[in-house]
Each structure stands twice: as C-alpha cells, then as structure tokens.
C-alpha cells in the first residue's frame, strides 16, 4: 500500500517569512495529493490540492509543487501570518483507493 | 458550499451506554467516510460508504456500527465503548469514491468514554 512521509514534524517561523512542508510517497500510481489545515479543536480543512498531470498550483499565498519522478510534493506558504498556525497534513490517493495521510506538521507563526 | 455537519460536537458516555454520532452533507456526494483521530495523529479511516453501501471496513471493532440511511446522512452507532475509544470522530464526503475528487471533512465529534 501507499506510504506517505512528511517533514518537518514542527516548524517555527516569524510572521512574514515563508514556510515549506515536504512529503514523499511510495506508490507511483498515486495521482491526487491534497493538503489539509487543522486548527485546534476543528476538523481538517482542504486548503489546496494537486493532480498528477500538473506540476504546480497556486492559490494566493499558498502553492503546491509535485515532482512525480522523485515522488515528492511540497506545500509553500508565503508571507506567513499568525492565523496560519495550525497542523498541516499532506495526503496521497491512488486509483480507487483511500487517502493515505502524512503524520502532520505543526506550524507556529510568531508575530 | 462544501459543508459537512456533525452532531453532537461533544459527547461523554459511559462504557455501558449506547449513543449515535450523526453526519450530514448536501453536496450530492455519494461517498461518505468515518475517521477516528487521536491527539497529534493523522485521521485514521474506519468506514467508507459508496452509494449508500458499506464498501470498506478497516477491521473496526463491532462496538462501532455505521449506518447510511440515505445519500445525505451517515450515522455511527456506539455501544460498550472502551476508554481508549476516546478521540475526535470525523465524517467526510467526496463526490464519488476514488481518485481526483476532493474530500471534505466535518468539524468532528469529540468523544470521551468514562
């Protein structure tokens, strides 16, 4: 089955800095890669996703890149703000399967 | 609208109680999911319903019993739970089961078993 590794487990940045979270996957058949943001006491919120036929996708301050050859994908947050502080999960989906999640990254943005 | 609603928000139950968690979506999605999430861990899949039929049961103990009464509703019936079942229970839905369709989560039910 699919295995997703996520790094780092914690990330502390100053407000205005950029933050990068990286994930690798094992199943070359995986073709859908969502990112979720989970604030304390809330459910995971889908913030951006990418499909295997695309190399990069942007949505305002958030971008995701995918390298199919290396089997890794990354989340980039620019101009971080305190409200970006949360746990971020990457995930991968292969064929008619279910989502496999990474272990999560706790992002702390200090004012 | 990408809203999945769950009730109740919080639930405290004894080990001999019977309770139910409810989930609802009105996005026309035909795949619905139950996940269990422990603190500082990713969501862990429990059940998947596809077109109102149970398609995946991830070896979940029988004290958890899912039900999908119609395409918008998903229930999780709880009976004789153990303290280690205390967790955040998340419902999610997607257009259909499978790849390239976004999966949206509800806010969860925080369950405490005493």
């Amino acid at each position: 089955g699919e295995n997703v590794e996520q790094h780092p487990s914690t990330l502390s940045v100053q407000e205005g800095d950029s933050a990068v979270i990286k994930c690798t996957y094992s199943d070359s058949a995986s073709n859908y890669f969502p990112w979720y943001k989970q604030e304390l006491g809330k459910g995971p919120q889908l913030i951006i996703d990418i499909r295997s036929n695309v190399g990069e996708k942007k949505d305002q301050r958030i971008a995701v890149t995918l390298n199919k050859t290396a089997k890794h994908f990354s989340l980039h947050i620019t101009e971080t703000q305190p409200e970006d502080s949360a746990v971020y999960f990457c995930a991968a989906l292969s064929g008619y399967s279910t989502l496999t999640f990474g272990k999560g990254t706790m992002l702390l943005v200090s004012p | 609208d990408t809203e999945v609603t769950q009730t109740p928000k919080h639930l405290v139950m004894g080990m001999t109680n019977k309770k139910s968690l409810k989930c609802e979506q009105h996005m026309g999605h035909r795949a619905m999911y139950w996940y269990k999430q422990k603190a500082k861990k990713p969501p862990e899949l429990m059940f998947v319903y596809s077109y109102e039929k149970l398609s995946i049961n991830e070896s979940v103990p029988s004290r958890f019993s899912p039900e999908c009464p119609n395409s918008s509703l998903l229930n999780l019936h709880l009976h004789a739970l153990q303290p280690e079942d205390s967790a955040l229970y998340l419902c999610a839905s997607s257009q259909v089961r499978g790849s390239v369709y976004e999966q949206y989560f509800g806010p969860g039910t925080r369950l405490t078993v005493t």
Side-chain angles (χ1 to χ4, degrees), chain A residues 31 36 38 51 93 95-96, chain B residues 37 97 99-100 102-103 105:
Chain A
N31 57 1
Y36 289 89
Q38 188 171 24
R51 292 165 175 80
L93 191 148
Y96 199 59
Chain B
Q37 187 179 28
R97 182 187 157 199
S99 62
V100 308
E102 298 91 345
Q103 192 171 128
F105 283 83

Side-chain angles (χ1 to χ4, degrees), chain B residues 17-82:
Chain B
N17 291 158
K18 285 185 180 181
K19 296 286 186 183
S20 295
L21 310 184
K22 297 185 184 301
C23 172
E24 191 166 4
Q25 57 86 16
H26 294 287
M27 296 177 277
H29 289 175
R30 303 310 296 272
M32 296 186 76
Y33 311 78
W34 279 116
Y35 288 86
K36 173 183 178 180
Q37 187 179 28
K38 297 286 251 183
K40 300 185 179 181
K41 299 287 188 183
E44 179 183 337
L45 184 66
M46 301 174 71
F47 303 103
V48 180
Y49 274 83
S50 179
Y51 291 91
E52 296 90 69
K53 294 195 186 313
L54 184 64
S55 62
I56 293 180
N57 176 341
E58 293 284 5
S59 304
V60 179
S62 59
R63 57 186 183 268
F64 295 91
S65 175
E67 178 196 20
C68 190
N70 60 53
S71 60
S72 299
L73 293 173
L74 187 66
N75 298 322
L76 185 63
H77 303 295
L78 314 172
H79 173 56
L81 295 191
Q82 305 296 310

Side-chain angles (χ1 to χ4, degrees), chain A residues 16 18 20 25 27 32 41 43 45 63 81 83 93 96-98 101 111:
Chain A
S18 294
V20 180
Y25 61 98
D27 187 350
Y32 176 63
Q45 176 194 2
Q81 301 166 4
E83 50 265 39
L93 191 148
Y96 199 59
S97 185
T98 54
F101 288 88

